[in-house]
Amino acid sequence: MSDQIKFIVDNLNKEPFRKNYNLITFDSLEPMQLLQVLNDVLAEIDPKQVVDIREEMPEQTAKRMLSLLGILKYKPPGNAADMSTFRQGLVIGSKPVIYPVLHWLLQRTNELKKRAYLARFLIKLEVPSEFLQDETVADTNKQYEDLMEAFKTLHKECEQLKISGFSTAEIRRDISAMEEEKDQLIKRVERLKKRVETVQNHQRMLKIARQLRVEKEREEFLAQQKQEQKNQLFHAVQRLQRIQNQLKSMRHAAADATPESLMKRLEEEIKFNSYMVTEKFPKELENKKKELHFLQKVVSEPAMGHSDLLELESKINEINTQINQLIEKKMMRNEPIEGKLSLYRQQASIISRKKEAKAEELQEAKEKLANLEREVSVKTSQTREYDGTEVLKGDEFKRYVSKLRSKSTVFKKKHQIIAEFKAEFGLLQRTEELLKQRHENIQHQLQTIEEKRGISGYSYTQEELERVSALKSEVDEMKGRTLDDMSEMVKKLNSLVSEKKSALAPIIKELRQLRQKCQELTQECDEKKSQYDSCAAGLESNRSKLEQEVRGLREECLQEESRYHYINCMIKNLEVQLRRATDEMKAYVSSDQQEKRKAIREQYTKNIAEQENLGKKLREKQKAVRESHGPNMKQAKMWHDFEQLMECKKQCFLKQQTQTSIGQLPVQ
């Protein structure tokens, strides 16, 4: 135990904890402080655990730590029956429970960090089978499993890349190859620039190409952003559906509640609360008091040294031996009553443990229910903020649905009536257009018939009569003619009309027959036109399909034709190369020296020999130049000095000549 504490203290004093503990100060920590130390270690493994336990309920702290320890695959010492003891010790901050946990965590911190990181992505969310019947939920679950498998493969590849390090020689080779490739690309770019400079408006074309590339990149970015927004919208819709389903189930549960079920639920809650008040809480309070008394006793005693600890350990060992001896004596007595009592005690302890476990499960379920109720209240407040109405429940929702159905049926009927009116209006409008067109055609035919019969102007005369009658009425009203004039004019007009009617009577009979025939022909024309329209539509669709097929076949033909020409060119190039290779082999293998000299290899060998001889001569010449370089430079310097001396003498001579020319004696 002392080695375990020493190991824990040494690791807590190192990075990243830096607690500055010693054995005494660490052993004197209070349960809350010890739990905070354990929480700090768990937070180092999983950053989500950064919590101040003073601001958290003890049950929530224990639940959070137990879930993380389960993910990290920590196995508490002892059998499965001691799980409740371990959980209780974790809640109260018991040293015999927390010390082994700290020792186990600090031994393998890096490994547990990796396991906690992977657990966030690889712990599978169990979906009930009844929910998987929905296609959307099944597709989402399958997508979730595929993403999990993809994460596994990517993580393995990442770990392999971290493990496999590249050597410096390989990196240098890669760098040299990349530099060579860079030089080649620079040369290629220069060649392309020279080639482009000869083209007209190359700057404008380069600018347009640059803009095209930028727009393509922007298009790809926008497409990616659009896909991300679609995914976010899809996830948001799925989340909304899940929340709506949860809300619906909760409303259904609230709607189906009866007084009997409510009474039963209240009785169960009363039993649970009475058990918590009468049995569980007093036990926990008693344990807390004992622990507090023990801690006060430990605090009141003076600090113990190493010798005191050894003495206590020896006393503990003696007491353990005495306990073992007493147990052996008891077993040797083998009293049947005590055996029966031990059996009953064991059964009672098992039942009490089960009861405590069920109570804890019920407490967790109540906390979960409270969280769900809070979420429901938040969602209802959000919906009230969105549309300003409250969420309907139970019978109100049913009445609203029935009212909505009745309104929907009325709406459908009204919509159908409106559609019928619209169809009838369109039909009447079309009929009006056809009647107007038919009237115009009849008027035109009537004029042609009047011209053929020699009574052209009958319809015009009738219109004129109507116009004259209108003018007559106007004139009568305006000028107030006498009744005699009006009667005479009426007689004249009636006589004229009767004459025209008698003349047009046979033509009107023929016109009636022609009108009937025109109606029949119009009906037949409409039928033929509808047949023609349907046939034309079918032919048009077939023609578009055939045009698409022809277009596809033409493109395929062009591709095959270009591929054919490309293959022919490649074959010709290969044939030329093969012919050159065979000629070279024949010339090289031939026994004729004249033919052999024509071989490219012989020519290259001859050129290489000539270049080597030339290089040899140039090296000899270079050697001679190097040997004669010093004397030649000395001689050149001497000639340069001689040239300066002669130039000086020339200047002196010229100066002397100028002086004699002005009457001065030359200096001897």
Side-chain angles (χ1 to χ4, degrees):
M1 189 72 178
S2 60
D3 295 333
Q4 191 180 50
I5 297 172
K6 187 177 180 182
F7 175 80
I8 293 169
V9 170
D10 292 336
N11 281 278
L12 289 175
N13 291 333
K14 295 178 183 177
E15 293 288 335
F17 304 102
R18 300 177 66 182
K19 296 291 185 180
N20 295 325
Y21 288 145
N22 54 31
L23 293 174
I24 297 172
T25 56
F26 180 73
D27 191 64
S28 61
L29 289 175
E30 294 180 359
M32 291 294 290
Q33 296 175 346
L34 196 59
L35 280 174
Q36 187 64 51
V37 171
L38 177 60
N39 192 78
D40 293 340
V41 176
L42 293 174
E44 179 63 24
I45 294 170
D46 187 5
K48 291 183 179 180
Q49 305 296 323
V50 180
V51 178
D52 190 358
I53 61 172
R54 292 175 296 181
E55 300 175 359
E56 193 178 25
M57 296 295 292
E59 290 81 3
Q60 295 179 357
T61 304
K63 183 180 178 181
R64 179 170 53 80
M65 290 183 178
L66 285 170
S67 63
L68 182 58
L69 290 174
I71 291 170
L72 299 177
K73 296 182 180 179
Y74 173 74
K75 295 181 179 179
N79 52 13
D82 297 329
M83 189 64 194
S84 61
T85 307
F86 173 78
R87 189 179 299 171
Q88 188 176 0
L90 189 63
V91 171
I92 64 176
S94 178
K95 293 180 181 179
V97 173
I98 293 178
Y99 283 174
V101 177
L102 285 172
H103 185 263
W104 184 80
L105 292 173
L106 294 171
Q107 275 182 339
R108 45 183 71 82
T109 306
N110 295 325
E111 179 186 352
L112 295 176
K113 280 183 181 179
K114 182 179 177 182
R115 188 176 294 173
Y117 169 75
L118 294 175
R120 283 187 291 171
F121 306 99
L122 298 181
I123 291 179
K124 188 175 180 181
L125 183 64
E126 296 295 332
V127 182
S129 59
E130 58 267 22
F131 293 140
L132 290 174
Q133 302 297 326
D134 191 1
E135 293 181 358
T136 307
V137 177
D139 294 337
T140 307
N141 190 31
K142 188 175 183 304
Q143 186 179 3
Y144 167 69
E145 292 175 355
D146 295 337
L147 289 172
M148 190 180 289
E149 295 296 328
F151 174 77
K152 288 180 182 178
T153 55
L154 290 173
H155 183 72
K156 288 179 182 178
E157 291 176 1
C158 181
E159 292 296 325
Q160 291 175 0
L161 289 173
K162 286 181 181 178
I163 294 169
S164 62
F166 295 100
S167 62
T168 55
E170 291 179 356
I171 294 170
R172 286 174 182 171
R173 283 199 296 270
D174 292 339
I175 291 170
S176 61
M178 291 168 70
E179 288 178 352
E180 291 177 359
E181 189 175 357
K182 181 182 176 183
D183 295 335
Q184 292 177 2
L185 288 172
I186 290 169
K187 292 177 182 178
R188 187 177 178 186
V189 169
E190 290 176 355
R191 287 199 300 270
L192 289 172
K193 281 183 179 179
K194 291 178 181 178
R195 191 182 300 174
V196 169
E197 286 175 356
T198 59
V199 181
Q200 294 180 356
N201 298 326
H202 66 279
Q203 291 292 340
R204 184 170 175 273
M205 294 173 72
L206 286 172
K207 186 177 179 181
I208 292 169
R210 195 179 298 111
Q211 290 177 358
L212 178 62
R213 187 178 68 252
V214 170
E215 290 298 326
K216 283 185 177 179
E217 291 176 355
R218 186 168 176 272
E219 184 181 1
E220 291 178 357
F221 174 74
L222 291 174
Q224 186 178 3
Q225 193 174 7
K226 183 179 178 182
Q227 187 64 32
E228 289 177 357
Q229 290 179 357
K230 283 184 178 178
N231 293 332
Q232 291 176 2
L233 179 62
F234 178 71
H235 292 312
V237 169
Q238 285 185 342
R239 187 179 176 189
L240 180 62
Q241 289 178 355
R242 288 197 299 271
I243 291 170
Q244 286 177 352
N245 292 330
Q246 291 177 2
L247 186 61
K248 186 177 179 182
S249 62
M250 293 179 72
R251 285 176 179 172
H252 183 69
D256 294 338
T258 58
E260 291 80 7
S261 61
L262 290 173
M263 289 295 294
K264 189 175 181 181
R265 194 181 303 168
L266 288 172
E267 287 176 358
E268 291 176 355
E269 191 172 355
I270 289 167
K271 287 180 182 179
F272 173 73
N273 292 329
S274 62
Y275 166 74
M276 295 290 287
V277 171
T278 56
E279 295 184 14
K280 188 176 180 182
F281 287 158
K283 286 182 182 178
E284 291 180 356
L285 184 61
E286 188 67 26
N287 292 328
K288 293 284 184 184
K289 286 181 180 179
K290 288 181 181 178
E291 190 175 358
L292 180 62
H293 179 69
F294 176 72
L295 291 173
Q296 288 176 353
K297 188 177 179 182
V298 171
V299 171
S300 62
E301 291 180 358
M304 292 186 293
H306 186 65
S307 59
D308 296 331
L309 292 173
L310 293 174
E311 186 178 355
L312 286 173
E313 287 181 356
S314 63
K315 287 182 180 180
I316 289 168
N317 293 328
E318 290 177 0
I319 291 169
N320 286 330
T321 54
Q322 291 177 6
I323 290 168
N324 292 328
Q325 290 175 2
L326 291 171
I327 291 169
E328 289 177 358
K329 288 179 181 179
K330 186 178 180 181
M331 291 175 67
M332 288 178 69
R333 290 176 186 173
N334 196 10
E335 293 180 359
I337 298 171
E338 290 293 332
K340 291 180 181 179
L341 290 174
S342 64
L343 180 63
Y344 291 141
R345 287 196 192 100
Q346 188 176 3
Q347 290 179 357
S349 63
I350 291 169
I351 291 168
S352 64
R353 283 198 214 96
K354 288 183 179 179
K355 200 171 183 181
E356 289 177 357
K358 293 296 181 183
E360 290 177 359
E361 290 178 1
L362 184 58
Q363 189 69 23
E364 292 175 359
K366 282 191 173 183
E367 292 175 359
K368 190 174 181 181
L369 180 61
N371 293 328
L372 290 173
E373 287 177 352
R374 283 195 294 273
E375 288 182 4
V376 170
S377 63
V378 170
K379 297 297 180 185
T380 52
S381 62
Q382 288 179 358
T383 53
R384 195 179 297 111
E385 289 176 0
Y386 288 152
D387 54 3
T389 58
E390 294 185 355
V391 180
L392 300 177
K393 297 181 180 179
D395 297 334
E396 294 179 357
F397 183 73
K398 290 179 181 178
R399 286 195 295 272
Y400 175 73
V401 170
S402 62
K403 187 177 179 182
L404 189 63
R405 285 176 181 171
S406 62
K407 286 185 177 181
S408 65
T409 53
V410 173
F411 170 75
K412 288 177 181 178
K413 289 180 181 178
K414 299 293 184 182
H415 187 69
Q416 187 176 1
I417 292 168
I418 291 169
E420 291 175 358
F421 284 156
K422 285 182 179 179
E424 189 174 357
F425 174 73
L427 184 62
L428 292 172
Q429 194 173 6
R430 177 62 179 167
T431 306
E432 184 183 2
E433 291 176 358
L434 291 173
L435 290 173
K436 285 181 179 179
Q437 187 177 3
R438 190 177 297 173
H439 178 69
E440 291 176 359
N441 294 330
I442 290 169
Q443 289 291 333
H444 183 67
Q445 291 176 3
L446 183 61
Q447 290 177 3
T448 54
I449 291 168
E450 287 175 353
E451 289 177 358
K452 287 180 182 180
R453 299 293 181 178
I455 54 171
S456 61
Y458 174 75
S459 58
Y460 177 74
T461 305
Q462 189 174 2
E463 291 176 358
E464 285 291 327
L465 288 172
E466 292 176 356
R467 188 172 63 82
V468 167
S469 62
L471 289 172
K472 173 180 169 295
S473 61
E474 290 177 0
V475 169
D476 289 339
E477 290 175 358
M478 291 172 62
K479 295 183 179 181
R481 288 181 179 181
T482 60
L483 185 61
D484 296 333
D485 294 333
M486 291 175 65
S487 62
E488 288 178 2
M489 187 173 287
V490 168
K491 287 178 181 179
K492 289 179 181 179
L493 291 173
N494 287 329
S495 62
L496 184 62
V497 168
S498 60
E499 288 176 1
K500 294 291 183 182
K501 281 184 178 180
S502 61
L504 290 174
I507 298 172
I508 291 170
K509 289 181 181 179
E510 293 179 0
L511 182 61
R512 288 175 181 172
Q513 294 176 359
L514 290 172
R515 283 180 178 175
Q516 187 176 2
K517 189 175 181 181
C518 178
Q519 289 178 358
E520 294 175 357
L521 291 173
T522 305
Q523 187 176 1
E524 186 177 358
C525 178
D526 293 336
E527 293 177 357
K528 297 293 183 183
K529 188 177 180 182
S530 62
Q531 293 176 3
Y532 168 77
D533 291 336
S534 62
C535 183
L539 292 173
E540 184 67 24
S541 63
N542 292 331
R543 185 179 67 82
S544 62
K545 289 180 182 178
L546 291 172
E547 283 180 354
Q548 289 179 359
E549 290 178 1
V550 169
R551 197 178 299 113
L553 292 172
R554 280 181 180 174
E555 291 177 357
E556 188 176 356
C557 181
L558 290 172
Q559 291 177 0
E560 294 296 331
E561 187 175 355
S562 62
R563 188 166 173 268
Y564 168 73
H565 290 303
Y566 174 73
I567 291 169
N568 281 337
C569 292
M570 293 295 293
I571 290 169
K572 288 179 181 179
N573 290 331
L574 292 172
E575 286 177 355
V576 171
Q577 292 177 5
L578 184 62
R579 196 182 306 116
R580 289 175 64 185
T582 52
D583 293 340
E584 178 67 19
M585 287 298 295
K586 286 178 182 179
Y588 182 71
V589 177
S590 177
S591 58
D592 189 4
Q593 295 296 327
Q594 196 70 21
E595 289 290 331
K596 199 169 185 179
R597 287 173 186 171
K598 293 180 181 178
I600 298 172
R601 183 172 180 179
E602 292 296 330
Q603 292 177 7
Y604 279 133
T605 306
K606 184 179 178 182
N607 291 333
I608 290 167
E610 289 177 357
Q611 293 297 324
E612 286 179 352
N613 293 328
L614 181 61
K616 189 175 181 182
K617 289 178 182 179
L618 290 172
R619 283 193 294 273
E620 291 175 356
K621 189 176 180 180
Q622 185 183 11
K623 186 178 180 182
V625 169
R626 284 178 180 174
E627 290 175 354
S628 61
H629 178 69
N632 289 336
M633 291 297 292
K634 189 175 181 181
Q635 189 176 2
K637 189 174 183 302
M638 290 172 66
W639 277 106
H640 185 65
D641 294 340
F642 178 71
E643 185 179 2
Q644 287 182 354
L645 183 61
M646 294 302 292
E647 184 69 28
C648 185
K649 284 185 177 183
K650 180 182 175 183
Q651 295 293 333
C652 291
F653 178 73
L654 292 172
K655 189 176 181 182
Q656 186 178 4
Q657 289 293 331
T658 55
Q659 287 176 358
T660 52
S661 63
I662 58 177
Q664 293 182 356
L665 293 173
V667 179
Q668 297 294 333

